[in-house]
Amino acid sequence: MADNKGLSMAASCIALRGVRIFLNASKAAAARRVSPPVQRRRPKPVVPGAKPPQKVFDALVKTTKFNKYELEALFTMYRTLVMAAQSAVPTTGIGQTAPKTDGIDQSTFRDVLHNTFDLVTEEAILDRIWVTWERGAAGGEGAIKFEAWARGLSRMLRGTDEERRTHCFAVYDLNADGWITKDEMFSLLKNSLLKQPGDEDPDEGVRDLVELVLKKMDIDKDGRVSFEDYRQAVEQEPLLLEAFGQCLPSKRHAVTFLRTLVAK
């Protein structure tokens, strides 16, 4: 069968094992979105755009760390996620179906991070991962399309040390100005720490922690952390990579997911 006439039989078999993982996330998203059946009419699933031309897969083989069969399996998962999310879109107040997103929307994206990669992290971190993920030509536009989905997963799951550092720094740089400031550290750490019984001023404890982290990471001592500061600090102490919150899957969850893309 020609490459452009659907997924190869081998890739389809590979993908089906991984689709089960994503269906749990999709069902969770659907349960939150669908209103009671007596009031809403469940729309018929809409199949997203056709399989990208072969040149897209050829380019992704060169620009990601996935091979052809893994990419085809990822596309099957991607299509399943989009279709599940589209089928859950409720009707509007006048009985018309709301516009459907051609891509992975934010709610589905968060479910995948939770259910597939076990990123049980702060809401602010999840929002930042979504914001920094490649979306649209200018970034931050609409849903995540397949090419961006594959490139992002490649960085998260098989990225080099530099790619992982770049990803984490972008997540922590809340205003995307190239620096992690004390205020940003305070905001990130405050959200990640639980208030202990008897704490009269929990913010004071967070400020003390900010000062400790700053001493470790502010290499040039200018009162803020640049990417070069961050790189050097993480090279000296790898545990500082996710100093302000988890934004990468654990090795165990990454390996488990990648196994679903490999034929037995």
Side-chain angles (χ1 to χ4, degrees):
M1 184 180 295
D3 286 337
N4 288 330
K5 294 183 178 180
L7 297 176
S8 67
M9 183 65 69
S12 296
C13 293
I14 296 170
L16 287 175
R17 295 199 302 274
V19 166
R20 295 191 188 95
I21 299 175
F22 289 87
L23 286 177
N24 291 330
S26 301
K27 289 178 181 177
R32 290 199 302 272
R33 295 192 192 104
V34 178
S35 297
V38 297
Q39 300 178 357
R40 300 290 177 92
R41 176 172 54 85
R42 188 180 182 88
K44 183 179 180 181
V46 176
V47 178
K51 178 185 176 185
Q54 187 58 42
K55 64 181 181 181
V56 171
F57 287 91
D58 292 340
L60 287 173
V61 167
K62 297 177 182 178
T63 58
T64 71
K65 295 177 177 63
F66 296 122
N67 61 37
K68 173 186 175 182
Y69 297 105
E70 290 172 332
L71 288 168
E72 290 186 337
L74 284 175
F75 179 74
T76 295
M77 295 176 186
Y78 166 84
R79 185 170 57 185
T80 300
L81 282 173
V82 175
M83 289 176 64
Q86 287 182 344
S87 70
V89 175
T91 57
T92 63
I94 58 176
Q96 296 179 344
T97 302
K100 294 178 173 60
T101 302
D102 184 11
I104 295 176
D105 62 17
Q106 185 173 7
S107 179
T108 302
F109 180 78
R110 290 164 67 93
D111 284 334
V112 170
L113 293 185
H114 276 306
N115 298 345
T116 302
F117 299 120
D118 197 34
L119 253 66
V120 184
T121 188
E122 298 72 43
E123 294 298 310
I125 296 292
L126 291 176
D127 288 343
R128 286 297 301 162
I129 296 175
W130 167 258
V131 168
T132 57
W133 203 284
E134 177 189 342
R135 302 198 318 283
E141 301 171 4
I144 297 174
K145 300 302 180 65
F146 171 63
E147 295 93 323
W149 175 242
R151 286 191 289 266
L153 288 178
S154 177
R155 287 190 294 270
M156 286 187 68
L157 301 174
R158 289 176 172 163
T160 63
D161 289 344
E162 185 70 2
E163 287 173 332
R164 289 160 61 85
R165 287 191 291 261
T166 299
H167 166 75
C168 293
F169 185 87
V171 170
Y172 301 147
D173 181 11
L174 301 183
N175 62 358
D177 66 351
W179 309 89
I180 303 175
T181 64
K182 284 186 177 182
D183 288 341
E184 289 171 327
M185 293 180 199
F186 180 85
S187 178
L188 290 164
L189 292 173
K190 182 177 180 179
N191 288 328
S192 66
L193 297 178
L194 296 176
K195 181 179 179 180
Q196 299 299 319
D199 285 352
E200 296 182 359
D201 186 6
D203 286 358
E204 185 62 32
V206 177
R207 281 189 285 269
D208 291 342
L209 183 56
V210 167
E211 292 299 328
L212 289 174
V213 174
L214 194 62
K215 289 180 180 179
K216 285 282 189 180
M217 304 190 78
D218 183 16
I219 305 300
D220 59 10
K221 306 304 179 185
D222 64 351
R224 55 186 181 177
V225 175
S226 65
F227 180 70
E228 185 56 35
D229 289 334
Y230 179 76
R231 175 195 282 119
Q232 292 184 42
V234 172
E235 286 176 347
Q236 295 172 14
E237 178 47 74
L239 290 177
L240 292 174
L241 177 66
E242 296 180 272
F244 305 110
Q246 182 190 7
C247 50
L248 289 167
S250 69
K251 183 177 181 180
R252 179 171 66 87
H253 284 91
V255 169
T256 298
F257 175 79
L258 290 170
R259 282 175 179 166
T260 68
L261 306 180
V262 179
K264 291 183 179 179

